[in-house]
Amino acid sequence: MKVAVIVDDLDPARRRRCFWEEQLSAVSGVECTLVSLLANMESRRFFNVYEFDVVIFNWCVLDGAVMYASDRARDILAFYDDHFFQYVRRGGVVIMENQPKRWRPAQQAYDVLFPGQLVVTQGETYVYGSTVQTNAALRGHPLLQGIPGTVNSAYSHPLDTSWFPPGSTSPRSIEELHPTKMYTGAFRSWSRGWLPLLYTEDRRNPVLLVKTEGLGLWIVSTMFLASSNVADLIESLVVGARSHSHAIHHFHDAQERKRRVRTVAGVAGVLALGAGLFLLLQSGALTSTIPYGDTWAGNFATSLLFAALVSGVTFLRGFLFLTWRSLRHR
């Protein structure tokens, strides 16, 4: 299996730390290649993504940091985004680690490949943790097989190990590093098709989302996967995403069918409620003073209005829940 890890720079002294080499070297049958989009561009070499089975975006490589030319890397990806879409549709796997600006998720980094699909938490509050929780409702997902319900960081380097080239970042970033963390920030909302597999330690928001497209798979996270040193999770996401591709697509298709069934059941329930109210009004079993209550048209309009009200309240409840969840992170 050939894995490409996209990093800031090919010179270790000039890039932010990449933990993927040491992690993937322990996985049998995996060949890891570091790639710099900027170096390729400056050498007028096209990054042929189709040569690899899995492509990983190292943490922060798309966060827009001018010091590390992440702004240019993001522009390069935006120009060649169609190749990545085709790559996934043909069976490739793309894994995106956390892309934060000063340890807060950078929305623009996720919008390059997923415009309008994902919204990350914003604000000055630095939300992080050294533990993640698996989604109990999706424990049957092939990528979660063998993964415990609670996953703890197993960061193995000394706490004073630098993640940055000397003198290249602000004191504030160093103070807020907390190297044993597994994530910073989370996803506030996501579009249809994405499944949340891992959550923050308080289970409020997901930190890892997965989506199938064509024959391939997108894995997007606010986690620092490689530095967390959780071998089982890393092997599942990198190797399992390819070896269990059929099972993953089958699971996602089943979840989509369940969603459709719930939607149809909800609509049918509202219609049945409206029909029941109409029959009660027509039969006279339910007496109320309503305009034109003595006509079938008046009773039908009342039933329709009631059904619409029930639907509106259901939608409003979901909207208010999402709004409240987002306000907590401001």
Side-chain angles (χ1 to χ4, degrees), residues 5 43 46 70 78 81 118 124 127 158 176 178 191 216 232 236 269 289:
V5 181
S43 301
F46 172 69
S70 294
D81 58 354
L118 308 170
E124 284 301 311
V127 179
E176 294 185 337
H178 301 297
S191 62
D232 290 344
S236 179
T289 304

Side-chain angles (χ1 to χ4, degrees), residues 42 121 183 201 250 310:
E42 292 178 341
T121 54
Y183 65 87
E201 57 188 3
H250 178 75
V310 171

Side-chain angles (χ1 to χ4, degrees), residues 3-10 15-16 18 20 32-38 47 49 52 54-62 73-74 77 84 94-95 97 99 113:
V3 178
V5 181
I6 299 178
V7 295
D8 299 320
D9 197 289
L10 296 181
R15 68 168 179 257
R16 286 167 290 197
C18 178
W20 283 102
C32 177
T33 302
L34 299 187
V35 176
S36 167
L37 296 179
L38 183 60
F47 169 51
V49 65
F52 299 92
V54 178
V55 174
I56 300 171
F57 288 96
N58 193 50
W59 66 280
C60 276
V61 73
L62 301 172
R74 195 164 66 192
L77 177 61
F84 285 84
V94 169
I95 300 174
E97 277 198 294
Q99 303 297 320
L113 293 176

